[in-house]
Amino acid sequence: MLHGERRDNTARSGTHALSRPLKVTYRSQVVEFFKGTGREECEIFVRSIRAAAWREDKDDDDRWMANYASLRFAGQALNWHSRLPPDIRRDWSKLEMALLNQWPSLNDDVDDNSAQ
């Protein structure tokens, strides 16, 4: 069985039904360290964490994603991350929002004002 493939327990005639679409994974894909150099690096980091979680079938596990991301911080980003409250460090949904707020794009102010 390939990584990411789930089989249910309803085997018939020696075959197993897939309970989720097959994901072909390449475990050699490692998320680069996030150093906090700017918005572009931040967006790449967020997308990379999401992709890593998807490959590991953990894309609905905010704690796993936050823990995995915590291993990939370096430099000023590591310093920033270490100062976050524990509830943010442990929850990817909160951590992702904190990341994007800490490293905003130049258009964020324009977007925020137009949404009001």
Side-chain angles (χ1 to χ4, degrees):
M1 179 165 47
L2 294 173
H3 176 74
E5 180 180 310
R6 292 185 191 162
R7 296 178 190 255
D8 66 21
N9 293 327
T10 58
R12 294 184 188 158
S13 304
T15 61
H16 298 280
L18 294 176
S19 62
R20 184 170 177 165
L22 178 66
K23 294 181 187 177
V24 177
T25 62
Y26 302 97
R27 288 187 178 259
S28 63
Q29 295 177 356
V30 175
V31 174
E32 296 294 323
F33 283 103
F34 176 63
K35 298 175 184 170
T37 61
R39 179 60 176 227
E40 183 177 2
E41 182 198 20
C42 182
E43 289 179 1
I44 291 168
F45 179 72
V46 167
R47 288 192 307 271
S48 296
I49 296 297
R50 290 177 182 175
W54 185 86
R55 286 191 304 272
E56 296 297 325
D57 200 22
K58 299 287 189 177
D59 49 324
D60 60 353
D61 187 340
D62 280 344
R63 189 172 184 104
W64 185 94
M65 293 173 74
N67 286 337
Y68 183 71
S70 73
L71 301 173
R72 309 311 301 165
F73 287 103
Q76 77 177 45
L78 177 60
N79 191 26
W80 169 82
H81 180 263
S82 69
R83 292 184 173 130
L84 290 172
D87 67 306
I88 294 175
R89 288 196 317 257
R90 294 183 189 130
D91 183 326
W92 174 250
S93 296
K94 293 177 182 179
L95 180 56
E96 180 181 30
M97 186 179 299
L99 279 160
L100 296 173
N101 286 334
Q102 179 67 22
W103 286 276
S105 72
L106 297 176
N107 296 328
D108 279 352
D109 289 334
V110 174
D111 293 342
D112 289 345
N113 291 332
S114 65
Q116 295 177 355

